[in-house]
Amino acid sequence: MSDINIIETIQDKNSFFNIKRFSLKNLGKDFSIKTMDINNITKKIFEDSKIIKNKNIIFEKSKIIKDFKNIKGVMDESNDSKINDFFGRKAWLDDKFTLFHATLKFNPYNYIKKVDEISGFLNYYYSHSKYLVLIPNVLKHFTPYDEEGRASKTKTEVISINHYIKLIDELYEFFEQMNNKPIFVPLSLKLSMNELTELVRHYLKKERFYFWIDFESAPANLSNATLGGKIGQINRLLRNSKQFDKMILLATNIKREIISNSKDNKSPASDILTTLCGANIVGVDRDPARMFKIKEGEKQKIIEHKSRLFNEQTYYYNIRKEQKPNKPLNVTINSVKLSTEFDNQKKNFLKESGISDYLKTKDMLKNYLGGKILRSLQPSIKEFQKKLF
């Protein structure tokens, strides 16, 4: 495994916001910390945009693999085009920094005894992430739905924490043999607090310092007691480690908005807050899957909703009235806007030696839930550490 050389770490005293100065292969140190969604970019958009074409950007493909049959199918497939389609390869991005990762909705140990049995799939997985490899996450549990879209009152467990850790260890050892890409280990927010604590401590004991949080379609909302508590626990464990200067945190599969309502003209952004969760690289958005049929006449409203544009001055997503909303174009524009705003956050943090005053200029953070998100940032890290010990 190759290491990432982190030149400098600068921490905010009153939040989990931090700056890590490092470079990635073929990107250098001035790359965009916001990735570009391969699912929502076309060749025309790519070629028409000088900003995207010329900027140092990570192009990310996120995938949910629902069944072990999908993995077996890839290994049985002889058609290169179908294999490349599975992993989201686009030939016109071959000279760019591309990243593939997956979330599994099943426990692989229900089908195999050890990961070597799917080594063919893992070699494909490794080769479709050009310069980093993110070990797959496994959903801890999921909520079954009936044919009418009604959610079950009980959740179905997919994998135990013991099997989860065993799987990550095996996959890490497998990818480590390749020896030339940094390896990121997963952190699932669906784990219980005790399980999450056990997992982070296991990683630290093994001296694994590159992490990716799979938000699994949850918003980056620190004011949410449960989610904020888990994100806080991750950050406190990492910051209390003597090795924090060696660590990088990537967050992805984030719900775009804290709360979404297609009837409202604006909705509070979630993805822009990911840096406040400690992320050094911010991945793609993923809204929760719809389990119900779309009613007649609602399709246009949903298209308009998915095509909302981010307002960097307010931190709201706003509906843009268009005759034919272009979702791929608008998603790409939003990624560029988010990237620019992440740069603004960093510049203001370095200028003011803090991020709070800058965040107070954003209408959404001042007004949503009476400023609850801003208040959640107030306790200092030193006080968090005192409470922890």
Side-chain angles (χ1 to χ4, degrees):
M1 183 196 79
S2 65
D3 289 328
I4 298 172
N5 182 25
I6 301 174
I7 301 166
E8 186 180 18
T9 298
I10 310 172
Q11 302 179 41
D12 185 21
K13 296 178 181 178
N14 297 312
S15 75
F16 298 123
F17 185 92
N18 68 93
I19 294 174
K20 298 281 177 82
R21 298 187 189 277
F22 60 95
S23 60
L24 294 175
K25 190 173 181 180
N26 279 29
L27 285 182
K29 63 180 180 179
D30 295 321
F31 67 94
S32 168
I33 70 165
K34 175 70 183 79
T35 70
M36 196 68 65
D37 190 351
I38 288 179
N39 288 336
N40 283 292
I41 187 168
T42 65
K43 186 176 182 181
K44 185 177 187 316
I45 292 171
F46 175 77
E47 291 181 340
D48 288 349
S49 175
K50 291 182 180 179
I51 295 175
I52 297 170
K53 203 170 184 181
N54 298 330
K55 195 168 184 179
N56 295 331
I57 293 173
I58 299 171
F59 291 86
E60 178 184 356
K61 166 70 176 179
S62 170
K63 190 179 185 74
I64 293 177
I65 302 179
K66 297 180 180 180
D67 199 299
F68 183 77
K69 292 177 183 177
N70 299 128
I71 289 177
K72 190 174 183 303
V74 170
M75 293 191 293
D76 290 337
E77 184 57 64
S78 60
N79 186 315
D80 288 353
S81 293
K82 289 183 178 179
I83 295 168
N84 287 329
D85 285 346
F86 180 92
F87 290 99
R89 176 180 174 255
K90 295 186 177 181
W92 39 274
L93 287 176
D94 276 353
D95 64 335
K96 298 297 181 182
F97 192 120
T98 53
L99 174 65
F100 175 88
H101 60 81
T103 302
L104 310 181
K105 290 190 73 173
F106 57 91
N107 181 352
Y109 289 127
N110 291 339
Y111 307 93
I112 59 173
K113 291 183 179 179
K114 54 184 180 179
V115 299
D116 278 346
E117 295 175 44
I118 54 169
S119 60
F121 173 80
L122 296 175
N123 275 290
Y124 281 143
Y125 186 101
Y126 182 87
S127 64
H128 281 85
S129 282
K130 197 164 284 185
Y131 303 116
L132 300 177
V133 59
L134 272 59
I135 289 178
N137 178 34
V138 182
L139 288 181
K140 181 67 170 67
H141 51 71
F142 67 91
T143 304
Y145 288 80
D146 62 21
E147 294 180 357
E148 300 298 320
R150 292 186 292 263
S152 170
K153 293 181 180 179
T154 58
K155 294 179 180 179
T156 300
E157 182 174 84
V158 175
I159 191 168
S160 69
I161 187 61
N162 291 335
H163 263 186
Y164 189 99
I165 291 175
K166 179 186 175 186
L167 178 66
I168 303 308
D169 284 349
E170 278 199 64
L171 289 171
Y172 195 97
E173 289 168 8
F174 181 91
F175 290 130
E176 196 173 27
Q177 296 171 10
M178 310 294 191
N179 204 36
N180 66 348
K181 294 178 187 176
I183 302 171
F184 282 67
V185 289
L187 293 166
S188 171
L189 295 177
K190 292 291 177 69
L191 296 172
S192 72
M193 184 66 86
N194 284 340
E195 290 170 337
L196 191 59
T197 302
E198 180 183 351
L199 181 64
V200 174
R201 286 177 173 159
H202 176 78
Y203 289 155
L204 295 177
K205 185 178 179 181
K206 292 277 188 177
E207 295 190 337
R208 294 168 186 167
F209 300 135
Y210 310 141
F211 313 93
W212 73 281
I213 295 181
D214 189 347
F215 273 77
E216 299 173 28
S217 301
N221 179 13
L222 286 168
S223 68
N224 176 288
T226 305
L227 190 76
K230 289 180 180 180
I231 291 171
Q233 180 72 339
I234 290 170
N235 278 280
R236 289 163 203 149
L237 289 169
L238 298 188
R239 287 203 175 193
N240 284 331
S241 165
K242 295 178 181 179
Q243 308 287 349
F244 182 68
D245 288 351
K246 296 180 180 179
M247 298 176 188
I248 293 174
L249 186 63
L250 184 156
T252 192
N253 295 333
I254 308 138
K255 188 173 184 291
R256 187 181 69 175
E257 293 133 314
I258 295 173
I259 187 168
S260 305
N261 189 335
S262 58
K263 295 179 182 179
D264 291 339
N265 288 327
K266 63 182 183 180
S267 50
S270 153
D271 45 12
I272 190 60
L273 307 179
T274 320
T275 47
L276 304 180
C277 300
N280 308 115
I281 302 174
V282 179
V284 297
D285 294 339
R286 175 186 283 164
D287 282 342
R290 291 180 176 273
M291 298 297 175
F292 51 87
K293 294 179 181 179
I294 300 171
K295 295 179 181 179
E296 195 67 33
E298 288 187 350
K299 190 173 182 180
Q300 181 62 22
K301 287 184 179 180
I302 291 172
I303 292 172
E304 286 181 358
H305 176 70
K306 289 183 175 293
S307 300
R308 291 182 185 214
L309 285 179
F310 176 68
N311 185 331
E312 61 272 32
Q313 302 300 322
T314 64
Y315 284 12
Y316 281 107
Y317 274 96
N318 299 109
I319 287 180
R320 182 178 178 181
K321 292 294 182 181
E322 302 170 276
Q323 288 186 339
K324 293 182 178 180
N326 187 336
K327 182 194 169 188
L329 177 60
N330 287 7
V331 168
T332 304
I333 290 171
N334 284 335
S335 292
V336 173
K337 283 172 165 280
L338 288 165
S339 176
T340 302
E341 183 55 22
F342 286 134
D343 283 342
N344 289 338
Q345 288 181 353
K346 181 173 73 172
K347 289 174 185 175
N348 277 273
F349 170 73
L350 293 173
K351 182 181 177 182
E352 304 296 334
S353 299
I355 193 71
S356 295
D357 287 344
Y358 179 68
L359 296 176
K360 290 173 184 176
T361 67
K362 308 300 177 181
D363 287 348
M364 187 278 283
L365 292 176
K366 286 191 296 183
N367 299 321
Y368 179 66
L369 296 179
K372 189 176 179 181
I373 295 174
L374 280 177
R375 290 197 300 276
S376 71
L377 302 176
Q378 296 308 308
S380 70
I381 294 299
K382 289 182 179 179
E383 290 195 23
F384 281 144
Q385 290 173 337
K386 289 178 183 177
K387 290 178 182 177
L388 188 65
F389 288 103

